[in-house]
Amino acid sequence: MVTVRTVITKQEQKAFLNFPLDLYSGNPYYIPPLYSDEKKMFRKDYVYNASCDSVFFLAYRDGKPVGRIQGIIQKDANAKNKEKRCRFTRFDAIDDLEVSRALFQALEDWARAQGMDTLVGPLNYSDLEREGMLVEGFEEPSTFEQTYNFPYYKAHVEQLGFRKEIDWTCSRLYGPESEEALQELDQVVQFIFRRYKLHFGTAKSGKELLKKYAQGIFDLVDKSYEGLYGTVPFTPGMRQLVLDNFGLVLSPRYAAMILDENEHPVCFGLSIPSLNRALQGTRGHLTPRTLLRILQCLRKPDVIDLCLVGVDPEYLNRGVSGALSLAIMRMLRDNASLRWADTNLNLEDNYAILNQWRRFRRVECKRYRAYVKSL
């Protein structure tokens, strides 16, 4: 028999955090989140508590945890879209439909009690967090920004009445087709820069880059992401969260800032060295050994992860995004240790970003899905 309990005590919180680490122990494709970051969800001063209501459930059989799920009511998103939606996230369970059914039933009951009429996910507090359910590419390692799940998750949620709402695709970018193609793109970018009085921004460190351009980046993200699925407006707390997360790992070597004549960003791309080698096989704890491996990844990465990309809508049809493609191509060319750049999740209907990658040798390697169900 399966019983579901709301997570309340410290011991239950620990069991909630540890469940996926145990479930995926030894799985070579699973990259855990940082344990300390996940633990923050249970703090009263957590940055998203001002805009979200959330609940955590654990499923037990014979006293042992066999599944978990979190529900989030993103009040800013609901107000923005005039919806009554509850998001589900951090759904993990053994391969037993009875367990999944019990978890979703508990969450559906909670969501109805809060006045919600729809359940959707996996979606997190915001699109800055891990989201989506892996439906293709199960033998590909996730990145630090992506989740990983077993193939049976898809079967379970579909048997429970969920249907597809939208997909994200993930691609590997291997650079230009040829050096000639890179030179041709360089000439096009130079012409566009002259025409619109644009130039690349510079910085000597990640700290300097954020100090000079962070405000413009956040404004541009709000402007360019406004109509995209699952996005919410940046709050001051969210902005600080990004600064805290990126400040230690961001380097100008793997960032591109395209500025207008007034030094305002009109297009940008922020990437970080892949941390897969450092975190793979760990439980997300920052032990001395893990920290050493992270430093090695930062010094000599073999892959870069594209984390944030934005283009001012006013410049979308002016070819400015070509400058971002050029910058990424140069990163791949000029850093001998780099094998590819990982795009992370791109919405399947975000044609602007998908067209951005057409200049590259590209392999689509994973697909994630958001599901929806009326309550």
Side-chain angles (χ1 to χ4, degrees):
M1 179 179 177
V2 177
T3 59
V4 177
R5 297 203 298 263
T6 306
V7 172
I8 298 175
T9 68
K10 294 290 186 181
Q11 184 177 3
E12 290 167 339
Q13 292 173 5
K14 184 177 180 180
F16 186 92
L17 297 176
N18 285 338
F19 180 77
L21 304 179
D22 295 332
L23 184 66
Y24 291 99
S25 178
N27 187 297
Y29 311 117
Y30 175 76
I31 305 298
L34 292 180
Y35 196 90
S36 58
D37 286 347
E38 290 289 278
K39 194 175 180 181
K40 291 176 184 177
M41 296 184 301
F42 298 110
R43 289 171 42 175
K44 292 183 179 180
D45 61 349
Y46 188 50
V47 65
Y48 288 108
N49 285 347
S51 59
C52 298
D53 294 328
S54 61
V55 67
F56 305 85
F57 292 109
L58 271 171
Y60 295 86
R61 178 181 283 151
D62 299 326
K64 179 182 177 181
V66 289
R68 70 169 194 169
I69 198 168
Q70 179 187 3
I72 298 173
I73 297 175
Q74 224 307 344
K75 292 178 283 189
D76 286 348
N78 281 345
K80 169 188 169 185
N81 300 313
K82 297 180 174 59
E83 296 172 332
K84 296 181 179 180
R85 290 188 159 202
C86 175
R87 301 178 171 199
F88 76 85
T89 185
R90 294 176 176 84
F91 163 62
D92 292 290
I94 63 172
D95 189 5
D96 186 326
L97 185 60
E98 181 187 4
V99 173
S100 297
R101 179 180 285 112
L103 284 166
F104 276 101
Q105 187 62 59
L107 182 55
E108 290 173 20
D109 291 344
W110 179 82
R112 289 192 194 95
Q114 306 305 312
M116 301 297 104
D117 59 21
T118 305
L119 193 59
V120 62
L123 288 176
N124 220 312
Y125 293 100
S126 77
D127 59 308
L128 298 178
E129 317 289 321
R130 294 182 174 194
E131 57 188 350
M133 180 175 291
L134 185 65
V135 294
E136 294 178 14
F138 297 102
E139 295 184 355
E140 297 285 346
S142 60
T143 70
F144 180 63
E145 295 80 18
Q146 298 167 358
T147 188
Y148 180 83
N149 56 262
F150 291 122
Y152 62 79
Y153 282 35
K154 175 179 182 291
H156 282 201
V157 298
E158 291 178 357
Q159 289 181 68
L160 293 173
F162 286 86
R163 59 178 175 81
K164 171 189 170 179
E165 182 158 69
I166 200 166
D167 281 2
W168 294 265
T169 63
C170 306
S171 299
R172 288 174 177 167
L173 307 179
Y174 288 95
E177 291 292 342
S178 65
E179 186 64 27
E180 290 74 16
L182 182 62
Q183 293 174 359
E184 290 176 5
L185 179 58
D186 188 15
Q187 293 174 359
V188 171
V189 169
Q190 290 183 38
F191 171 79
I192 292 171
F193 274 19
R194 289 194 299 269
R195 182 173 184 179
Y196 298 112
K197 299 180 181 179
L198 304 176
H199 60 281
F200 283 111
T202 60
K204 296 179 181 179
S205 66
K207 183 177 180 180
E208 181 184 352
L209 187 146
L210 289 175
K211 183 178 180 180
K212 292 172 69 173
Y213 306 122
Q215 185 62 48
I217 290 173
F218 290 133
D219 292 344
L220 195 51
V221 167
D222 271 339
K223 194 174 182 181
S224 60
Y225 283 41
E226 183 179 11
L228 296 182
Y229 177 83
T231 58
V232 297
F234 264 76
T235 64
M238 289 169 62
R239 294 186 179 208
Q240 188 59 49
L241 184 66
V242 172
L243 292 175
D244 293 342
N245 289 344
F246 275 93
L248 297 177
V249 295
L250 189 64
S251 167
R253 293 178 63 191
Y254 310 114
M257 300 296 307
I258 294 92
L259 313 175
D260 64 17
E261 58 184 328
N262 297 312
E263 299 297 309
H264 295 148
V266 299
C267 179
F268 74 90
L270 301 181
S271 61
I272 63 171
S274 170
L275 301 179
N276 282 22
R277 287 181 295 145
L279 296 173
Q280 193 172 40
T282 74
R283 295 174 67 87
H285 294 283
L286 292 178
T287 64
R289 182 181 180 186
T290 301
L291 286 171
L292 178 60
R293 291 165 66 180
I294 288 175
L295 288 175
Q296 291 172 341
C297 287
L298 296 177
R299 289 169 183 164
K300 193 175 181 181
D302 61 343
V303 175
I304 53 174
D305 295 343
L306 303 181
C307 299
L308 274 179
V309 174
V311 183
D312 190 319
E314 295 180 15
Y315 286 83
L316 268 178
N317 298 318
R318 300 182 184 181
V320 173
S321 61
L324 179 57
S325 293
L326 178 64
I328 297 171
M329 289 178 182
R330 285 173 172 169
M331 294 175 200
L332 293 170
R333 181 197 63 184
D334 297 340
N335 294 275
S337 64
L338 289 181
R339 295 183 292 164
W340 66 75
D342 196 311
T343 67
N344 280 304
L345 276 65
N346 296 153
L347 284 164
E348 63 179 350
D349 63 355
N350 187 353
Y351 303 112
I353 193 65
L354 295 178
N355 286 334
Q356 175 79 43
W357 312 136
R358 62 182 172 81
R359 301 178 176 91
F360 291 81
R361 291 181 290 115
R362 179 173 74 96
V363 175
E364 186 178 302
C365 54
K366 284 171 282 189
R367 180 174 290 265
Y368 287 80
R369 181 162 297 165
Y371 286 93
V372 66
K373 181 181 179 180
S374 296
L375 299 178

